[in-house]
Amino acid sequence: MTTDLDVQVWRGDSAGELQRYVVPRGDKQTVLDVVTYIQRRLDPTLSYRFACRVGMCGSCAMTVNGKPRWTCRASVERVAEAGSLELRPLRNMPVIKDLAVDMTGFFEKWQEAGGRFVPTSTRHDPIAVVPPSSPARQAADAGIECINCGICHAACDVVAWDPAYQGPAALNRAWTLQNDVRDGDHGQRLRAVASGSGCLGCHSMGNCARYCPNSLNPTGSIAGLKRLAVKAALKGEL
Amino acid sequence: MSLRLYVLQRLTALVMAPLVLVHLAVIVYATRTGLSAEAILGRTEGSLFWAGFYGLFVVAAAIHGTIGLRTVLVEMTGWRGGGLDLAMLCFFLAVLVLGLRAVVIVT
Ligand code: SF4
Ligand code: SF4
Ligand code: FES
């Protein structure tokens, strides 16, 4: 643990370049620790995002040695092949500066894909009882631990090819809501996602599922949406 | 891709799956048993079955392939709109006509 770490960090906006820093290695060091060290000790002008540092908030994602990762839970020991790190902003989102990307478009897609819960009852009604063992609840359960980190969005090649594609995170959210028996917008939401820019554009390559730090499976969620869309189409409902 | 095209592509895939298997079996059979071109034509000419079989195959493949090509073009080139639809219609008709012509000739 005495050796130094050779770190290349993206500086500037999309027209920026990599800059080299040397950071001492530490015990149980995370990639976020490395970035924080650079910002506090070597170059205070470095911009990046983080909040919780424990894998809850989803704000610290970056491209680490070519792969999208949550940096607060990525240990240097595991990800720094050959003792070096290359840190770039997430792919598929405009770079604001250095390691911070503009996630506005990412979250707009959540809205486009009907990512908003539409209640069917009010606070005056009794609390809905949803049996944990029901298939719909289990399907929703499998997808609800999303922390909105954007890693899947950065990993998806269809997002890179088609700027209109809603992307794995937004579609995964839509799938959890389609399985929420308390939600009253299933028809409209299915309409919103049943297009080439929605679930039909997915190639089921599984990059999203491969890199999701919470081990969610947006590929599976999107396949579920495709099934719903085809069923509705065959019944003449869409 | 619209939902209509998506469903159409899945349905044509469903139609083609057994046809492809039979087609492969026919190829293997014809080459293994060393059938001559005349012998093959002798069996296909005037056969309603083979006309129907390959006619359906051509129609399904033309639809399926055109939708697939359209998707590839949209993704790789960003081509959209009326020009694309027209080009795809031409491609579909070309495949359809060439395929059906071949079916008519051998049956
Ligand atoms: S499975 Fe679909 S959403 Fe996930 S990375 Fe592949 S194309 Fe993108
Ligand atoms: S699905 Fe996974 S990778 Fe995608 S935003 Fe949610 S937590 Fe992040
Ligand atoms: S800082 Fe919150 S998930 Fe990494």
Side-chain angles (χ1 to χ4, degrees):
Chain A
M1 282 297 161
T2 49
T3 46
D4 284 340
L5 201 58
D6 185 36
V7 191
Q8 306 265 353
V9 183
W10 186 260
R11 301 304 309 270
D13 55 16
S14 57
E17 57 183 13
L18 289 169
Q19 195 171 321
R20 185 165 173 266
Y21 301 93
V22 176
V23 176
R25 296 196 68 157
D27 196 25
K28 300 213 174 78
Q29 191 178 28
T30 66
V31 175
L32 186 63
D33 292 336
V34 170
V35 180
T36 301
Y37 180 94
I38 296 173
Q39 202 253 7
R40 300 230 169 123
R41 309 277 181 93
L42 305 178
D43 190 344
T45 65
L46 178 66
S47 302
Y48 67 110
R49 260 195 218 112
F50 75 98
C52 72
R53 291 173 296 142
V54 290
M56 304 270 299
C57 71
S59 61
C60 66
M62 300 167 199
T63 309
V64 181
N65 286 356
K67 295 177 180 150
R69 293 187 186 280
W70 51 358
T71 54
C72 69
R73 299 286 299 272
S75 88
V76 169
E77 202 183 341
R78 197 161 41 85
V79 301
E81 299 100 6
S84 62
L85 281 177
E86 190 189 276
L87 306 176
R88 291 172 184 263
L90 277 187
R91 195 171 74 124
N92 295 341
M93 287 172 246
V95 184
I96 299 173
K97 177 175 174 286
D98 305 339
L99 299 167
V101 291
D102 183 354
M103 298 182 80
T104 313
F106 171 70
F107 287 114
E108 274 168 4
K109 289 181 175 185
W110 287 57
Q111 297 295 335
E112 277 168 35
R116 199 188 287 260
F117 174 70
V118 178
T120 46
S121 53
T122 70
R123 68 181 65 191
H124 306 299
D125 296 308
I127 291 177
V129 179
V130 183
S133 59
S134 64
R137 175 65 220 189
Q138 301 223 322
D141 253 356
I144 51 175
E145 298 292 346
C146 173
I147 57 170
N148 315 2
C149 64
I151 285 178
C152 54
H153 200 76
C156 176
D157 281 341
V158 177
V159 173
W161 291 328
D162 181 0
Y165 180 51
Q166 289 161 350
L171 291 166
N172 177 69
R173 166 71 177 162
W175 171 245
T176 61
L177 288 172
Q178 291 303 92
N179 283 289
D180 190 331
V181 292
R182 304 162 308 157
D183 177 90
D185 203 26
H186 290 186
Q188 279 289 52
R189 190 175 300 108
L190 192 57
R191 206 171 292 277
V193 299
S195 74
S197 305
C199 65
L200 306 182
C202 169
H203 285 274
S204 311
M205 292 181 294
N207 283 357
C208 49
R210 164 130 195 245
Y211 289 106
C212 173
N214 272 346
S215 307
L216 303 191
N217 182 6
T219 317
S221 302
I222 296 169
L225 289 174
K226 286 177 179 170
R227 282 196 300 275
L228 289 182
V230 169
K231 267 190 212 147
L234 293 178
K235 281 193 208 153
E237 293 167 359
L238 262 188
Chain B
M1 187 190 330
S2 72
L3 182 57
R4 243 187 32 233
L5 291 183
Y6 181 84
V7 171
L8 205 55
Q9 199 184 25
R10 266 62 195 173
L11 288 181
T12 48
L14 220 60
V15 169
M16 280 195 301
L19 301 187
V20 168
L21 291 180
V22 174
H23 177 61
L24 289 176
V26 168
I27 294 175
V28 171
Y29 172 78
T31 50
R32 281 288 163 85
T33 54
L35 282 185
S36 66
E38 288 78 23
I40 294 175
L41 282 177
R43 296 176 190 208
T44 57
E45 271 171 355
S47 161
L48 266 185
F49 173 79
W50 289 119
F53 180 92
Y54 280 110
L56 184 64
F57 205 152
V58 164
V59 173
I63 296 174
H64 188 85
T66 306
I67 299 173
L69 177 67
R70 187 176 187 281
T71 305
V72 171
L73 286 175
V74 166
E75 277 172 8
M76 306 307 286
T77 69
W79 192 9
R80 313 270 145 98
L84 175 66
D85 288 340
L86 188 68
M88 287 303 99
L89 186 67
C90 294
F91 178 79
F92 167 71
L93 290 176
V95 173
L96 191 71
V97 168
L98 289 174
L100 289 180
R101 201 182 65 142
V103 173
V104 168
I105 291 171
V106 299
T107 58

mmCIF file of all heavy atoms in Angstrom, chain A residues 161 194-196 200 203 226 229-230 233-234 238, chain B residues 1-3 6-7 10-11 71 74-76 80:
data_model
loop_
_atom_site.group_PDB
_atom_site.id
_atom_site.type_symbol
_atom_site.label_atom_id
_atom_site.label_comp_id
_atom_site.label_asym_id
_atom_site.label_seq_id
_atom_site.Cartn_x
_atom_site.Cartn_y
_atom_site.Cartn_z
ATOM 1 N N TRP A 161 -26.865 5.898 -29.329
ATOM 2 C CA TRP A 161 -27.249 5.994 -30.740
ATOM 3 C C TRP A 161 -28.443 6.894 -30.947
ATOM 4 O O TRP A 161 -28.545 7.585 -31.940
ATOM 5 C CB TRP A 161 -27.613 4.602 -31.290
ATOM 6 C CG TRP A 161 -26.489 3.669 -31.413
ATOM 7 C CD1 TRP A 161 -25.192 4.005 -31.696
ATOM 8 C CD2 TRP A 161 -26.521 2.250 -31.246
ATOM 9 N NE1 TRP A 161 -24.432 2.865 -31.719
ATOM 10 C CE2 TRP A 161 -25.211 1.785 -31.449
ATOM 11 C CE3 TRP A 161 -27.524 1.340 -30.950
ATOM 12 C CZ2 TRP A 161 -24.885 0.437 -31.369
ATOM 13 C CZ3 TRP A 161 -27.198 0.003 -30.870
ATOM 14 C CH2 TRP A 161 -25.890 -0.447 -31.081
ATOM 15 N N ALA A 194 -44.495 2.579 -25.175
ATOM 16 C CA ALA A 194 -44.606 1.582 -26.248
ATOM 17 C C ALA A 194 -44.227 2.165 -27.602
ATOM 18 O O ALA A 194 -45.033 2.211 -28.525
ATOM 19 C CB ALA A 194 -46.024 1.010 -26.291
ATOM 20 N N SER A 195 -42.994 2.627 -27.743
ATOM 21 C CA SER A 195 -42.536 3.156 -29.022
ATOM 22 C C SER A 195 -41.060 2.831 -29.177
ATOM 23 O O SER A 195 -40.441 2.281 -28.272
ATOM 24 C CB SER A 195 -42.724 4.672 -29.066
ATOM 25 O OG SER A 195 -41.743 5.291 -28.250
ATOM 26 N N GLY A 196 -40.513 3.216 -30.346
ATOM 27 C CA GLY A 196 -39.093 2.961 -30.578
ATOM 28 C C GLY A 196 -38.209 3.751 -29.619
ATOM 29 O O GLY A 196 -37.104 3.349 -29.302
ATOM 30 N N LEU A 200 -39.535 -0.487 -26.916
ATOM 31 C CA LEU A 200 -39.319 -1.250 -28.143
ATOM 32 C C LEU A 200 -37.925 -1.023 -28.718
ATOM 33 O O LEU A 200 -37.444 -1.801 -29.531
ATOM 34 C CB LEU A 200 -40.376 -0.873 -29.193
ATOM 35 C CG LEU A 200 -41.831 -0.983 -28.736
ATOM 36 C CD1 LEU A 200 -42.768 -0.628 -29.875
ATOM 37 C CD2 LEU A 200 -42.133 -2.365 -28.198
ATOM 38 N N HIS A 203 -32.392 -3.375 -27.110
ATOM 39 C CA HIS A 203 -31.852 -4.554 -27.778
ATOM 40 C C HIS A 203 -31.590 -5.704 -26.827
ATOM 41 O O HIS A 203 -30.965 -6.696 -27.205
ATOM 42 C CB HIS A 203 -30.544 -4.205 -28.475
ATOM 43 C CG HIS A 203 -30.726 -3.420 -29.730
ATOM 44 N ND1 HIS A 203 -30.959 -4.008 -30.936
ATOM 45 C CD2 HIS A 203 -30.730 -2.090 -29.961
ATOM 46 C CE1 HIS A 203 -31.080 -3.072 -31.862
ATOM 47 N NE2 HIS A 203 -30.949 -1.900 -31.288
ATOM 48 N N LYS A 226 -42.317 -4.665 -22.824
ATOM 49 C CA LYS A 226 -42.567 -5.113 -24.199
ATOM 50 C C LYS A 226 -43.726 -6.101 -24.222
ATOM 51 O O LYS A 226 -44.587 -6.048 -25.098
ATOM 52 C CB LYS A 226 -41.330 -5.805 -24.773
ATOM 53 C CG LYS A 226 -40.198 -4.860 -25.146
ATOM 54 C CD LYS A 226 -39.011 -5.686 -25.619
ATOM 55 C CE LYS A 226 -37.841 -4.828 -26.035
ATOM 56 N NZ LYS A 226 -36.629 -5.605 -26.274
ATOM 57 N N ALA A 229 -46.915 -4.273 -23.851
ATOM 58 C CA ALA A 229 -47.240 -3.510 -25.055
ATOM 59 C C ALA A 229 -47.784 -4.428 -26.148
ATOM 60 O O ALA A 229 -48.784 -4.117 -26.796
ATOM 61 C CB ALA A 229 -46.007 -2.763 -25.556
ATOM 62 N N VAL A 230 -47.136 -5.574 -26.336
ATOM 63 C CA VAL A 230 -47.584 -6.499 -27.384
ATOM 64 C C VAL A 230 -48.975 -7.041 -27.051
ATOM 65 O O VAL A 230 -49.855 -7.104 -27.911
ATOM 66 C CB VAL A 230 -46.575 -7.651 -27.566
ATOM 67 C CG1 VAL A 230 -47.163 -8.745 -28.451
ATOM 68 C CG2 VAL A 230 -45.287 -7.123 -28.177
ATOM 69 N N ALA A 233 -51.416 -4.429 -27.807
ATOM 70 C CA ALA A 233 -51.565 -4.245 -29.258
ATOM 71 C C ALA A 233 -52.430 -5.357 -29.846
ATOM 72 O O ALA A 233 -53.300 -5.102 -30.678
ATOM 73 C CB ALA A 233 -50.204 -4.221 -29.927
ATOM 74 N N LEU A 234 -52.189 -6.590 -29.413
ATOM 75 C CA LEU A 234 -52.954 -7.711 -29.959
ATOM 76 C C LEU A 234 -54.420 -7.641 -29.553
ATOM 77 O O LEU A 234 -55.299 -8.091 -30.272
ATOM 78 C CB LEU A 234 -52.336 -9.038 -29.514
ATOM 79 C CG LEU A 234 -50.939 -9.324 -30.097
ATOM 80 C CD1 LEU A 234 -50.383 -10.639 -29.569
ATOM 81 C CD2 LEU A 234 -50.968 -9.323 -31.625
ATOM 82 N N LEU A 238 -53.966 -0.652 -27.962
ATOM 83 C CA LEU A 238 -52.930 0.376 -28.172
ATOM 84 C C LEU A 238 -52.750 0.661 -29.659
ATOM 85 O O LEU A 238 -52.764 -0.281 -30.446
ATOM 86 C CB LEU A 238 -51.586 -0.101 -27.612
ATOM 87 C CG LEU A 238 -51.171 0.383 -26.235
ATOM 88 C CD1 LEU A 238 -49.744 -0.035 -25.958
ATOM 89 C CD2 LEU A 238 -51.283 1.890 -26.077
ATOM 90 N N MET B 1 -39.243 2.888 -33.881
ATOM 91 C CA MET B 1 -40.130 1.853 -34.405
ATOM 92 C C MET B 1 -41.492 1.984 -33.726
ATOM 93 O O MET B 1 -41.558 2.147 -32.516
ATOM 94 C CB MET B 1 -39.526 0.485 -34.106
ATOM 95 C CG MET B 1 -40.286 -0.627 -34.751
ATOM 96 S SD MET B 1 -39.789 -2.262 -34.203
ATOM 97 C CE MET B 1 -38.091 -2.101 -33.799
ATOM 98 N N SER B 2 -42.533 1.904 -34.522
ATOM 99 C CA SER B 2 -43.860 1.983 -33.923
ATOM 100 C C SER B 2 -44.229 0.606 -33.378
ATOM 101 O O SER B 2 -43.659 -0.411 -33.754
ATOM 102 C CB SER B 2 -44.880 2.419 -34.964
ATOM 103 O OG SER B 2 -45.104 1.362 -35.866
ATOM 104 N N LEU B 3 -45.221 0.613 -32.496
ATOM 105 C CA LEU B 3 -45.661 -0.651 -31.908
ATOM 106 C C LEU B 3 -46.167 -1.596 -32.991
ATOM 107 O O LEU B 3 -45.952 -2.801 -32.940
ATOM 108 C CB LEU B 3 -46.759 -0.370 -30.873
ATOM 109 C CG LEU B 3 -47.323 -1.564 -30.118
ATOM 110 C CD1 LEU B 3 -46.216 -2.321 -29.390
ATOM 111 C CD2 LEU B 3 -48.380 -1.122 -29.114
ATOM 112 N N TYR B 6 -43.261 -3.227 -34.615
ATOM 113 C CA TYR B 6 -42.656 -4.138 -33.648
ATOM 114 C C TYR B 6 -43.425 -5.461 -33.602
ATOM 115 O O TYR B 6 -42.840 -6.541 -33.700
ATOM 116 C CB TYR B 6 -42.650 -3.487 -32.257
ATOM 117 C CG TYR B 6 -42.023 -4.333 -31.185
ATOM 118 C CD1 TYR B 6 -40.641 -4.325 -30.989
ATOM 119 C CD2 TYR B 6 -42.802 -5.154 -30.361
ATOM 120 C CE1 TYR B 6 -40.058 -5.100 -30.001
ATOM 121 C CE2 TYR B 6 -42.226 -5.931 -29.377
ATOM 122 C CZ TYR B 6 -40.850 -5.894 -29.187
ATOM 123 O OH TYR B 6 -40.283 -6.666 -28.219
ATOM 124 N N VAL B 7 -44.749 -5.355 -33.500
ATOM 125 C CA VAL B 7 -45.579 -6.563 -33.427
ATOM 126 C C VAL B 7 -45.470 -7.344 -34.737
ATOM 127 O O VAL B 7 -45.322 -8.572 -34.743
ATOM 128 C CB VAL B 7 -47.047 -6.195 -33.118
ATOM 129 C CG1 VAL B 7 -47.955 -7.400 -33.263
ATOM 130 C CG2 VAL B 7 -47.158 -5.612 -31.720
ATOM 131 N N ARG B 10 -42.312 -9.317 -34.854
ATOM 132 C CA ARG B 10 -42.367 -10.519 -34.000
ATOM 133 C C ARG B 10 -43.242 -11.589 -34.633
ATOM 134 O O ARG B 10 -42.914 -12.770 -34.589
ATOM 135 C CB ARG B 10 -42.882 -10.155 -32.603
ATOM 136 C CG ARG B 10 -41.795 -9.871 -31.590
ATOM 137 C CD ARG B 10 -40.973 -8.702 -32.003
ATOM 138 N NE ARG B 10 -39.717 -8.567 -31.279
ATOM 139 C CZ ARG B 10 -38.790 -7.684 -31.590
ATOM 140 N NH1 ARG B 10 -38.964 -6.873 -32.614
ATOM 141 N NH2 ARG B 10 -37.674 -7.604 -30.892
ATOM 142 N N LEU B 11 -44.371 -11.169 -35.208
ATOM 143 C CA LEU B 11 -45.277 -12.151 -35.810
ATOM 144 C C LEU B 11 -44.618 -12.832 -37.010
ATOM 145 O O LEU B 11 -44.711 -14.055 -37.177
ATOM 146 C CB LEU B 11 -46.585 -11.476 -36.236
ATOM 147 C CG LEU B 11 -47.511 -11.058 -35.080
ATOM 148 C CD1 LEU B 11 -48.783 -10.413 -35.621
ATOM 149 C CD2 LEU B 11 -47.861 -12.253 -34.188
ATOM 150 N N THR B 71 -34.645 -0.360 -38.662
ATOM 151 C CA THR B 71 -34.145 -0.102 -37.307
ATOM 152 C C THR B 71 -32.641 0.155 -37.319
ATOM 153 O O THR B 71 -32.149 1.083 -36.672
ATOM 154 C CB THR B 71 -34.468 -1.304 -36.399
ATOM 155 O OG1 THR B 71 -35.856 -1.555 -36.457
ATOM 156 C CG2 THR B 71 -34.064 -1.018 -34.959
ATOM 157 N N VAL B 74 -32.028 3.618 -38.732
ATOM 158 C CA VAL B 74 -32.403 4.670 -37.778
ATOM 159 C C VAL B 74 -31.311 4.811 -36.706
ATOM 160 O O VAL B 74 -30.882 5.919 -36.372
ATOM 161 C CB VAL B 74 -33.761 4.346 -37.116
ATOM 162 C CG1 VAL B 74 -33.990 5.224 -35.891
ATOM 163 C CG2 VAL B 74 -34.895 4.540 -38.109
ATOM 164 N N GLU B 75 -30.840 3.672 -36.208
ATOM 165 C CA GLU B 75 -29.860 3.730 -35.122
ATOM 166 C C GLU B 75 -28.474 4.156 -35.597
ATOM 167 O O GLU B 75 -27.810 4.957 -34.950
ATOM 168 C CB GLU B 75 -29.768 2.376 -34.427
ATOM 169 C CG GLU B 75 -30.854 2.214 -33.394
ATOM 170 C CD GLU B 75 -30.908 0.822 -32.831
ATOM 171 O OE1 GLU B 75 -30.009 0.019 -33.133
ATOM 172 O OE2 GLU B 75 -31.851 0.519 -32.088
ATOM 173 N N MET B 76 -28.039 3.611 -36.724
ATOM 174 C CA MET B 76 -26.659 3.866 -37.119
ATOM 175 C C MET B 76 -26.484 5.168 -37.905
ATOM 176 O O MET B 76 -25.409 5.741 -37.901
ATOM 177 C CB MET B 76 -26.100 2.703 -37.959
ATOM 178 C CG MET B 76 -26.228 1.330 -37.314
ATOM 179 S SD MET B 76 -25.566 1.219 -35.650
ATOM 180 C CE MET B 76 -23.810 1.234 -35.974
ATOM 181 N N ARG B 80 -34.411 9.571 -40.540
ATOM 182 C CA ARG B 80 -35.805 9.467 -40.117
ATOM 183 C C ARG B 80 -36.718 10.040 -41.203
ATOM 184 O O ARG B 80 -36.255 10.601 -42.175
ATOM 185 C CB ARG B 80 -36.085 10.283 -38.841
ATOM 186 C CG ARG B 80 -35.137 10.161 -37.710
ATOM 187 C CD ARG B 80 -35.509 9.050 -36.754
ATOM 188 N NE ARG B 80 -34.268 8.451 -36.249
ATOM 189 C CZ ARG B 80 -33.711 8.743 -35.092
ATOM 190 N NH1 ARG B 80 -34.300 9.535 -34.279
ATOM 191 N NH2 ARG B 80 -32.570 8.204 -34.731
#
